[in-house]
Amino acid sequence: MYPDSLKQLIESFKYLPGIGEKSAERFAFSVLELDEEQVDMFSNSLKNVVNSIHKCPKCNTLTDLNLCNICSDTSRDHHSLCVFEDSKNVFLFEKLGKFNGKYHVLDGLISPLDGINPEDIGLGSLISRIQEEDIEEIILAFKSGIEGDTTALYIKRILGDLNIKITRLASGVPIGVDMEFVDSLTLERALLDRTEVE
Amino acid sequence: MYPDSLKQLIESFKYLPGIGEKSAERFAFSVLELDEEQVDMFSNSLKNVVNSIHKCPKCNTLTDLNLCNICSDTSRDHHSLCVFEDSKNVFLFEKLGKFNGKYHVLDGLISPLDGINPEDIGLGSLISRIQEEDIEEIILAFKSGIEGDTTALYIKRILGDLNIKITRLASGVPIGVDMEFVDSLTLERALLDRTEVE
């Protein structure tokens, strides 16, 4: 029904998360409205991303350099290390602009039900980094929930002998959200971790 | 903050309709999970679409052939012609599979407020087609509303002398939709165009 190249483009857009037939069609038709320059940039950037982006050998963040620009930045505080389950979150934190330490990205979280065990998430490189570098605090910035909790507890246990502070991001009621929309687990945690009004 | 190629890909995804920063980032990260083959197809199909898709010289539909496969299909009923404001709708109708006539696509609808006058929407080629071909009915499949109405009335007027039937798609309550969610203009039209129960 569609011309071949249009059909292929629609199929390509369906690779994207959450994109079904209708949206893919809308996207493909919108490409026909773009300048040739824009389409070239779009097409080339797809190939460039796959060819140039890899994981930083030190912190596991996505980068197009030999060593990512955070690892090679000597002006950053190398005493505190923020640990993520996914390299997307590094960019989220950098955008926030409130953390000046270094980062480390694991290959996911421990999840025995999914067959992901402690040896599968790249803890070895985190531990050797902590042993080699002069790190005073690691901040575990995992998503809340059973997998994040398990991974945090496991890391706490294996690093117990080293004299470093291990913290997690606070859980609680999101700012500006009405109490009635907050789930009961979050409310329970918010109550448990309540802070003194100063 | 992002590596250059990733940043360019995020910017590219923002060309798509309704896609902002957050969705563009999500799409760009998802590209990193694709096979090399899939990315090649995606990247190539973008360029191919722009290079190969053009408008059919006869009916103005998008095609990658000299004459689109509907215009060149001799088995279709060439007595009835369905007229659209946008070539996307041709594919919608073909998918429906309930119309076996031919198509013609205008360059939009008459909209004096937007400076789009009768001479801007390519009516000339529609009229010469009607004069040259043995057309008995034209079905105006425009969106409901003032622009569609104006364009339909204009076409009715300029084709008045020719002995052809001019029809429009029915307007009314969409099937399966609760009455309370239907706007008042649509309800009014549905009342006006009520049909006898048989």
Side-chain angles (χ1 to χ4, degrees), chain B residues 119-163:
Chain B
E119 60 271 26
D120 300 324
I121 63 167
L123 287 171
S125 64
L126 173 64
I127 294 165
S128 39
R129 231 184 128 178
I130 290 169
Q131 286 167 334
E132 284 159 23
E133 299 175 31
D134 190 15
I135 287 163
E136 294 167 2
E137 177 178 3
I138 65 168
I139 301 162
L140 304 176
F142 303 147
K143 66 177 168 219
S144 309
I146 190 151
E147 297 165 10
D149 294 350
T150 308
T151 309
L153 283 175
Y154 187 87
I155 291 175
K156 171 84 182 166
R157 219 176 59 200
I158 57 172
L159 297 183
D161 299 340
L162 304 170
N163 184 27

Side-chain angles (χ1 to χ4, degrees), chain A residues 120-132:
Chain A
D120 300 323
I121 63 168
L123 287 171
S125 64
L126 173 64
I127 294 167
S128 39
R129 231 183 128 179
I130 290 169
Q131 284 167 335
E132 282 159 24

Side-chain angles (χ1 to χ4, degrees), chain B residues 32-134:
Chain B
L32 294 165
E33 316 281 315
L34 297 179
D35 299 341
E36 207 178 316
E37 210 176 289
Q38 292 175 312
V39 175
D40 276 349
M41 169 173 143
F42 198 160
S43 173
N44 294 337
S45 63
L46 279 163
K47 283 190 180 159
N48 290 344
V49 153
V50 172
N51 293 333
S52 71
I53 302 286
H54 54 263
K55 290 178 170 177
C56 172
K58 191 165 184 184
C59 73
N60 213 19
T61 299
L62 297 173
T63 182
D64 53 359
L65 306 168
N66 285 335
L67 193 66
C68 82
N69 50 18
I70 296 166
C71 282
S72 57
D73 183 350
T74 53
S75 74
R76 293 183 74 118
D77 172 16
H78 61 278
H79 299 300
S80 67
L81 192 66
C82 186
V83 183
F84 295 108
E85 79 221 51
D86 187 319
S87 52
K88 266 178 263 193
N89 301 339
V90 171
F91 302 108
L92 209 68
F93 254 59
E94 281 300 280
K95 224 182 235 179
L96 188 65
K98 296 290 179 191
F99 178 72
N100 193 38
K102 303 241 168 173
Y103 297 111
H104 195 86
V105 180
L106 298 177
D107 298 325
L109 296 175
I110 298 171
S111 172
L113 287 176
D114 300 317
I116 304 171
N117 296 310
E119 60 271 26
D120 300 324
I121 63 167
L123 287 171
S125 64
L126 173 64
I127 294 165
S128 39
R129 231 184 128 178
I130 290 169
Q131 286 167 334
E132 284 159 23
E133 299 175 31
D134 190 15

Side-chain angles (χ1 to χ4, degrees), chain A residues 137-166:
Chain A
E137 177 178 3
I138 66 169
I139 301 162
L140 303 177
F142 303 147
K143 67 176 169 220
S144 310
I146 191 151
E147 296 165 7
D149 294 350
T150 307
T151 310
L153 282 175
Y154 187 86
I155 291 175
K156 172 84 183 165
R157 218 176 59 199
I158 57 173
L159 296 182
D161 298 341
L162 303 170
N163 185 28
I164 52 169
K165 193 170 163 186
I166 302 175

Side-chain angles (χ1 to χ4, degrees), chain A residues 2-3 5-7 9-10 13 24-36 38-39 42, chain B residues 15-17 45-55 60-64 86-88 91:
Chain A
Y2 286 112
S5 57
L6 201 57
K7 202 187 319 176
L9 186 57
I10 292 170
F13 278 124
E25 285 172 350
R26 203 159 53 95
F27 287 168
F29 279 109
S30 78
V31 167
L32 294 166
E33 315 282 313
L34 297 180
D35 300 340
E36 206 178 317
Q38 293 175 311
V39 175
F42 198 162
Chain B
Y15 294 148
L16 301 174
S45 63
L46 279 163
K47 283 190 180 159
N48 290 344
V49 153
V50 172
N51 293 333
S52 71
I53 302 286
H54 54 263
K55 290 178 170 177
N60 213 19
T61 299
L62 297 173
T63 182
D64 53 359
D86 187 319
S87 52
K88 266 178 263 193
F91 302 108

